[in-house]
């Protein structure tokens, strides 16, 4: 399987699943010197992990077995401390403050790519590879070429959304062997390459550290018990009338319908009501009808660009606010003053549903990933005049 014409060394992040296993095997087949690395993050420490967890003891055993099968070394890297400080703690803090964080972006940027690239350089590896469905390439810029990331060839598996925080400087060091494949093709490759142990394995879930308990219970167990975010409070309609009582803001997110209680349906004439905003200062939950979830503007925090020549004020590009969600054309404006130091305001050509504080606004130019920002608030979502 391994070519005699050697290529550079590549450090492959191996979760023990079929995707990263096939990525490692394909790189071996292409002649790279492969080193496997599984990150010890969270899932297997104290509680039984979800069977879909990405870093359980079983997952480590599977990754090690694949490395032995293919004949390359495998190591376990203990990233549990930075995972706690850079991913878990900001996630918990965000939920307690009334937002819905997207921790996968930070995990990818800080750990799965940032620290892992440093680790690769320390052991003499030229590249880091993962089983993400995304494509790496180049675009013309001036008289030269600029490294860039692109959506996967098949939209149903595209994972570029989760990589918007990855630093531009490390893009030349990244390899994504699965960017042109479908999931069925990857499973077929696993069978062809003799990786039967992982060929039919379940996919890992998005929030590997949460499991079946749900994120509110996780936050409560992580020190949130007794916090104001778990205290009951009023459910208010768009005019401010009390229509019910919530069970703690940490248990809700924008766009949610389940868990509001049937009695509040009378406030809308029987039409379904959805969460339109969390108001932690008043410990209140705002609700409205489906049309009141639509927003044509949003405000973000600081911007992160993977392009050295990002859009200028007033220029348009595509924005996506949810993994596998729709994209719409947006125009970019400074949030304050003449630059983007404080973030931006996005005006949308078509409304987006449930623009959620704490989530990601990810920017694209055709198939190219440009960068992104964290959403701070929607503008015009619902009809109550309130910022956060």
């Amino acid at each position: 399987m391994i070519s005699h014409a050697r290529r550079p060394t590549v450090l492959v992040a191996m979760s023990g699943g079929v995707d990263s296993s096939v990525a490692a095997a394909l790189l071996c087949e292409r002649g790279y010197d492969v080193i496997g690395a599984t990150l010890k993050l969270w899932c297997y420490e104290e509680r039984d992990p979800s069977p879909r967890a990405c870093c359980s003891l079983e997952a480590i055993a599977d990754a090690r077995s694949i490395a032995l099968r293919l004949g390359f070394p495998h190591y376990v890297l203990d990233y549990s401390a930075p995972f706690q400080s850079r991913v878990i703690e900001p996630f918990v803090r965000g939920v307690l403050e009334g937002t819905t964080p997207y921790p996968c972006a930070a995990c990818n940027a800080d750990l799965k790519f940032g620290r892992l690239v440093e680790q690769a350089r320390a052991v003499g590896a030229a590249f880091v590879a993962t089983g993400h469905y995304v494509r790496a390439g180049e675009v013309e810029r001036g008289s030269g070429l600029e490294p860039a990331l692109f959506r996967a060839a098949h939209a149903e598996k595209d994972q570029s959304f989760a990589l918007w925080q990855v630093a531009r400087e490390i893009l030349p060091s990244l390899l994504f062997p699965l960017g042109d494949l479908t999931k069925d093709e990857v499973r077929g490759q696993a069978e062809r390459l003799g990786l039967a142990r992982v060929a039919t394995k379940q996919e890992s879930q998005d929030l590997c550290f949460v499991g079946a308990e749900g994120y509110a219970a996780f936050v409560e167990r992580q020190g949130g018990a007794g916090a104001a975010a778990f205290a009951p409070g009023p459910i208010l309609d768009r005019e401010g009338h009390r229509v019910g009582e919530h069970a703690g803001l940490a248990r809700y997110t924008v766009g949610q319908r389940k868990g509001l209680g049937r009695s509040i349906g009378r406030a809308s004439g029987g039409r379904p009501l959805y969460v339109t905003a969390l108001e932690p200062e008043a410990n209140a939950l705002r609700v409205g009808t489906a049309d009141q979830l639509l927003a044509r503007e949003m405000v973000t925090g600081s911007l992160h660009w993977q392009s050295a020549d990002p859009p200028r004020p007033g220029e348009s590009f595509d924005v996506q606010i949810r993994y596998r969600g729709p994209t719409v054309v947006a125009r970019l404006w400074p949030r304050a003053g003449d630059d983007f130091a404080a973030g931006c305001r996005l005006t949308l050509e078509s409304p987006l549903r449930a623009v959620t504080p704490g989530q990601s606004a990810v920017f694209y130019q055709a198939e190219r990933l440009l960068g992104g920002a964290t959403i701070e608030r929607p503008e015009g979502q619902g009809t109550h005049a309130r910022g956060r």
Side-chain angles (χ1 to χ4, degrees), residues 234-267:
I235 299 177
L236 306 176
D237 66 14
R238 69 186 210 181
E239 286 83 19
H241 301 135
R242 184 173 183 139
V243 296
E245 183 176 86
H246 65 75
L249 295 182
R251 306 184 192 281
Y252 304 87
T253 187
V254 172
Q256 181 175 335
R257 180 183 177 190
K258 184 178 178 180
L260 294 177
R262 296 181 180 179
S263 62
I264 67 169
R266 293 193 296 270

Side-chain angles (χ1 to χ4, degrees), residues 8-12 27-28 32-36 120 125-129 173 175:
T9 301
V10 55
L11 184 66
V12 182
L27 290 168
C28 285
Y32 287 89
D33 279 321
V34 171
I35 300 172
F127 298 101
V128 163
S173 301
L175 298 177

Side-chain angles (χ1 to χ4, degrees), residues 283-308:
N283 192 29
L285 193 70
R286 288 275 184 173
V287 295
T289 53
D291 61 309
Q292 292 159 16
L293 277 174
L294 301 176
R296 283 188 173 271
E297 294 188 13
M298 71 181 84
V299 173
T300 78
S302 59
L303 303 170
H304 174 83
W305 296 109
Q306 289 180 353
S307 169

Side-chain angles (χ1 to χ4, degrees), residues 9 11 35 75 116-126:
T9 301
L11 184 66
I35 300 172
Y75 301 94
L116 205 55
V117 166
E118 294 177 3
Q119 191 86 45
R121 290 169 178 166
V123 298

Side-chain angles (χ1 to χ4, degrees), residues 2 30 55 83 127 142 178 314 363:
I2 299 178
R30 294 170 190 173
C55 48
F83 187 74
F127 298 101
L178 308 188
F363 311 144

Side-chain angles (χ1 to χ4, degrees), residues 69-119:
R69 166 77 176 78
L70 295 173
F72 59 78
H74 172 266
Y75 301 94
V76 177
L77 305 179
D78 186 0
Y79 284 6
S80 55
F83 187 74
Q84 177 70 31
S85 63
R86 301 293 293 169
V87 179
I88 298 294
E89 291 175 9
F91 174 80
V92 170
R93 185 165 58 249
V95 172
L96 295 178
E97 291 174 353
T99 70
T100 305
Y102 182 60
C104 298
C107 183
N108 283 322
D110 291 343
L111 302 181
K112 293 182 181 178
F113 293 99
R115 288 177 184 267
L116 205 55
V117 166
E118 294 177 3
Q119 191 86 45

Side-chain angles (χ1 to χ4, degrees), residues 18-314:
V18 63
D19 294 333
S20 58
S21 298
V22 169
L26 289 175
L27 290 168
C28 285
E29 192 172 54
R30 294 170 190 173
Y32 287 89
D33 279 321
V34 171
I35 300 172
T38 299
L39 310 186
K40 176 190 173 188
L41 300 174
W42 175 268
C43 300
Y44 56 87
E45 291 185 347
E46 297 173 356
R47 293 172 173 259
D48 293 333
S50 161
R52 293 163 63 88
C54 66
C55 48
S56 64
L57 288 174
E58 180 184 355
I60 291 176
D62 286 343
R64 182 163 289 157
S65 173
I66 295 299
L68 183 63
R69 166 77 176 78
L70 295 173
F72 59 78
H74 172 266
Y75 301 94
V76 177
L77 305 179
D78 186 0
Y79 284 6
S80 55
F83 187 74
Q84 177 70 31
S85 63
R86 301 293 293 169
V87 179
I88 298 294
E89 291 175 9
F91 174 80
V92 170
R93 185 165 58 249
V95 172
L96 295 178
E97 291 174 353
T99 70
T100 305
Y102 182 60
C104 298
C107 183
N108 283 322
D110 291 343
L111 302 181
K112 293 182 181 178
F113 293 99
R115 288 177 184 267
L116 205 55
V117 166
E118 294 177 3
Q119 191 86 45
R121 290 169 178 166
V123 298
F127 298 101
V128 163
T130 72
H132 284 88
Y133 290 82
V134 64
R135 291 177 294 163
E138 295 176 320
V139 294
E140 291 186 4
R141 179 173 178 265
S143 59
L145 295 174
E146 179 182 36
L149 297 184
F150 299 86
R151 291 187 185 275
H154 301 278
E156 69 276 6
K157 287 301 298 178
D158 175 49
Q159 293 176 306
S160 61
F161 182 86
L163 305 185
W164 68 266
Q165 284 188 355
V166 173
R168 181 173 73 243
E169 293 75 18
I170 70 171
L171 296 186
S173 301
L174 305 182
L175 298 177
F176 299 100
L178 308 188
D180 291 313
L181 302 179
T182 67
K183 187 71 177 190
D184 286 344
E185 287 171 338
V186 168
R187 293 195 186 281
Q189 290 283 355
E191 294 286 355
R192 179 183 71 82
L193 293 162
L195 309 181
R197 180 176 180 130
V198 297
T200 60
K201 198 171 181 180
Q202 286 182 295
E203 294 185 80
S204 60
Q205 61 184 32
D206 284 342
L207 299 187
C208 65
F209 55 86
V210 169
E213 63 182 345
Y215 78 85
F218 174 83
V219 169
E220 196 168 17
R221 180 164 56 84
Q222 282 292 300
F230 287 94
I235 299 177
L236 306 176
D237 66 14
R238 69 186 210 181
E239 286 83 19
H241 301 135
R242 184 173 183 139
V243 296
E245 183 176 86
H246 65 75
L249 295 182
R251 306 184 192 281
Y252 304 87
T253 187
V254 172
Q256 181 175 335
R257 180 183 177 190
K258 184 178 178 180
L260 294 177
R262 296 181 180 179
S263 62
I264 67 169
R266 293 193 296 270
S268 63
R271 288 187 296 170
L273 291 177
Y274 304 83
V275 176
T276 58
L278 281 64
E279 302 181 355
E281 297 89 344
N283 192 29
L285 193 70
R286 288 275 184 173
V287 295
T289 53
D291 61 309
Q292 292 159 16
L293 277 174
L294 301 176
R296 283 188 173 271
E297 294 188 13
M298 71 181 84
V299 173
T300 78
S302 59
L303 303 170
H304 174 83
W305 296 109
Q306 289 180 353
S307 169
D309 187 23
R312 295 172 176 81

